[in-house]
Each structure stands twice: as structure tokens, then as C-alpha cells.
Amino acid sequence: MLKSIHAALAMSVITLTAFGASSAFAAPLKVVASFTVIADFAKNVGGDRIDVTTIVGPDGDAHVYEPSPADAVAMAKADIVLVNGLHFEGFLQRLVDASATKASIITLTKGVTPIDFKPEFADADAAEGAGTGGGKTVTDPHAFQSIANARIYVKNIAEAFCAADSDGCVSYQTNAAAYTKKLDAVEGEVKAAIASIPESKRVVITSHDAFGYFEHAYGLTFLAPQGISTDSEPSAADVAKLVTQVKQDKAAAIFVENITNPRLIEQIASETGIKVGGTLYSDALSQPDGPAATYIDMMHNNIRQIKGAILGS
Ligand SMILES: [Zn+2]
């Protein structure tokens, strides 16, 4: 009797060992995404082979986010951490340190051509009268707002997943290729939508400078009272300067953003007489039942709002 129990235990140990050795990840690959856009890309590439935890959730602001103890736990358990980089996630280093995570930290803007941002309004006081009209130049972190860059993020994610889980590599590459085709189609729609707007009307206002890569890729000018981060309030002088410029340049539309307080935009709207055109999704996706629950939905929403506000359709 005793012998047979031993035998049964020995059998189950052998079975468990054999099962465990069949794949490095019998359980899904544990992925932490710093914010919603990256989580969406990861789900499209990883499918059911991965389990994604998102740090900065829907409508959240990564610039000023304060990590929670639960975030540190997720980081500590992660196999892979996917981040934007270019100082988008102000909290990142603190969270990496606090969690003592052993996960690979993958920076998805690797391979992206960064755009420099020169503040026109925020922090412009020091350079007033210097002829260059701006403060010091910094790198714009919002690379994901260009669909060409989204393709680079997706490629980097597929490579990271393949390195961590070689058994799933064919699946990751196949998913990435299929998703990239969808991105190509959306990019065509964005370009067609911008082309339908007269050049003289391609000027819009948002609260912070999140759309530099979109502007660079698709040819629409964005003006914003706040710089590329939301961590400081613009001065009254900055706002007055923007209002003057808006009146001169005849901005065609003005938008609130999902991640920022609408108060400032409402003030500029009332001072310039331009009606608020709607909500643009800048640094985060919407809740699952909102209009920008995925990156592709975000692009569709933003271009529909912009076109609708400018052309009145
Ligand atoms: Zn931002």
C-alpha cells in the first residue's frame, strides 16, 4: 500500500516535470504595459499567450501619474515590461526601483526618429525678444501619435515576445503582421481626411502639445498653451499670447483632451469665440465602452472630431 502511494507520487512528479519542461511559459507571459496604447498593441500581438496589466489606465495622465503598491506588485511579477520611453512615464524609474523587478524593460520608441519640441508658449518668457520665440528644446515623447511609429512599437513588441517565449514566435509575428495591415489602412484614412480639409483651415488648438508627431506626419498644425508635459500650469501671459495668436492665425477648431482638465480650453474658447469642437484622445485610450477603447478607434475618433469641427460635417 505504502509502496503504491510512493509510486503514484513519483509518477505525478515525473508528469509535472515533463509538463513544466514542455514550454518556458505554460502559463501566459506576464506583461506590464505602462499605459493603455501600449497595452492595446501588446494584446494585438500577444493574443491569448499573454496576460497584460496596465499601469496608467483609461483617461489617465502618464506625465503626472503616481504609482500604487499594486503597480509595484505587478512589476515584480512581470516577465516583460513595455514602456514608451523618451521620458513619457515620469514615474518609471521610481517604480522600477521600488518593485526591484527582474523583468526585461523594453523601450518601444527604439528605432523611432525623435522630434524636438521648442515651447512656443510654456516657459517662453526667458527667450522673449530673442527672436527665436521659445524656451529650451526638449524631445517630444508622444511618438505613438504617428501611425508610422505605431508600426515600430508593434515590431519591437513582437521581437520582445519572441525573445521571451520562442514557442510563440510564429504566432506573435503573424499577429503583428495582421495588425500592421490594419494600421496601414487607418493611416490611409487619416491622410484622406486631412487632404479633405483646406490648407488654410488646418490649425487646431488642444490643451497640451501631444500631437507633434501627428502634425509632422500628416500636416495639421496644433497649438497648445501647455508644453509637452502636463506637469505645470501655463502662466496667464502664455494664455494671453496664445489667444492673440489664435485670433491672428484663425485657428479653425479647439478641443479638450481626455486626460486634462477642460477649464483652460473653455477659457480660451470663450476669449477667442471659437466653439469647443469635442474631445481628442491624446495620451490615453478611453474606457472600454468609450469612443477610443483601442488605438485604431482613437485615431478614427480624433480625425472624425477634427474634420467635423473644421468642416462642420
Ligand atoms: Zn502628453
Side-chain angles (χ1 to χ4, degrees):
M1 185 61 193
L2 194 64
K3 199 176 175 186
S4 68
I5 290 173
H6 270 231
L9 278 174
M11 271 305 277
S12 62
V13 167
I14 289 163
T15 310
L16 281 171
T17 307
F19 182 72
S22 70
S23 163
F25 294 98
L29 195 61
K30 288 188 283 300
V31 176
V32 166
S34 63
F35 76 116
T36 47
V37 166
I38 288 177
D40 181 45
F41 293 157
K43 285 173 196 164
N44 276 285
V45 176
D48 56 13
R49 294 190 70 92
I50 66 160
D51 185 13
V52 184
T53 303
T54 310
I55 303 282
V56 185
D59 300 320
D61 181 349
H63 298 293
V64 296
Y65 182 76
E66 288 296 333
S68 70
D71 295 332
V73 172
M75 288 284 283
K77 289 183 181 167
D79 298 309
I80 293 185
V81 178
L82 302 174
V83 304
N84 185 80
L86 304 180
H87 306 289
F88 180 65
E89 300 97 342
F91 60 87
L92 183 64
Q93 196 54 51
R94 269 179 293 144
L95 187 56
V96 167
D97 294 345
S99 66
T101 184
K102 300 281 190 294
S104 317
I105 314 273
I106 310 294
T107 302
L108 300 181
T109 45
K110 186 176 165 238
V112 162
T113 304
I115 289 180
D116 285 339
F117 172 77
K118 202 175 192 54
E120 282 174 90
F121 301 105
D123 307 316
D125 355 8
E128 202 65 63
T132 51
K136 69 174 191 243
T137 299
V138 284
T139 301
D140 183 344
H142 307 87
F144 52 88
Q145 284 292 351
S146 132
I147 297 167
N149 288 340
R151 284 192 285 265
I152 295 175
Y153 283 49
V154 168
K155 179 173 162 284
N156 287 337
I157 290 170
E159 282 174 8
F161 287 177
C162 281
D165 170 22
S166 56
D167 288 355
C169 191
V170 170
S171 160
Y172 300 137
Q173 299 288 11
T174 306
N175 292 347
Y179 184 64
T180 298
K181 276 217 171 91
K182 290 185 192 171
L183 291 176
D184 295 345
V186 178
E187 189 173 46
E189 292 172 47
V190 169
K191 286 179 175 170
I194 303 285
S196 74
I197 301 169
E199 275 186 45
S200 63
K201 291 192 167 183
R202 291 181 197 166
V203 180
V204 300
I205 300 161
T206 57
S207 33
H208 90 296
D209 277 294
F211 295 96
Y213 290 85
F214 189 99
E215 172 171 328
H216 193 257
Y218 310 117
L220 190 74
T221 300
F222 288 82
L223 303 173
Q226 266 183 311
I228 55 166
S229 182
T230 55
D231 62 4
S232 62
E233 290 280 308
S235 68
D238 291 335
V239 175
K241 196 172 163 192
L242 176 60
V243 167
T244 305
Q245 183 170 346
V246 166
K247 286 176 175 167
Q248 284 166 356
D249 291 359
K250 301 197 176 23
I254 180 163
F255 297 94
V256 296
E257 289 174 33
N258 66 316
I259 67 151
T260 55
N261 187 324
R263 184 181 45 79
L264 181 60
I265 285 299
E266 283 159 0
Q267 181 197 336
I268 293 168
S270 84
E271 287 184 28
T272 57
I274 302 172
K275 196 165 144 277
V276 176
T279 300
L280 298 186
Y281 287 78
S282 51
D283 294 13
L285 301 179
S286 67
Q287 298 288 346
D289 59 351
T294 67
Y295 179 79
I296 286 174
D297 285 349
M298 174 178 86
M299 282 293 163
H300 280 147
N301 172 82
N302 287 356
I303 200 63
R304 195 170 52 238
Q305 297 278 333
I306 290 167
K307 205 179 148 180
I310 296 178
L311 300 180
S313 56

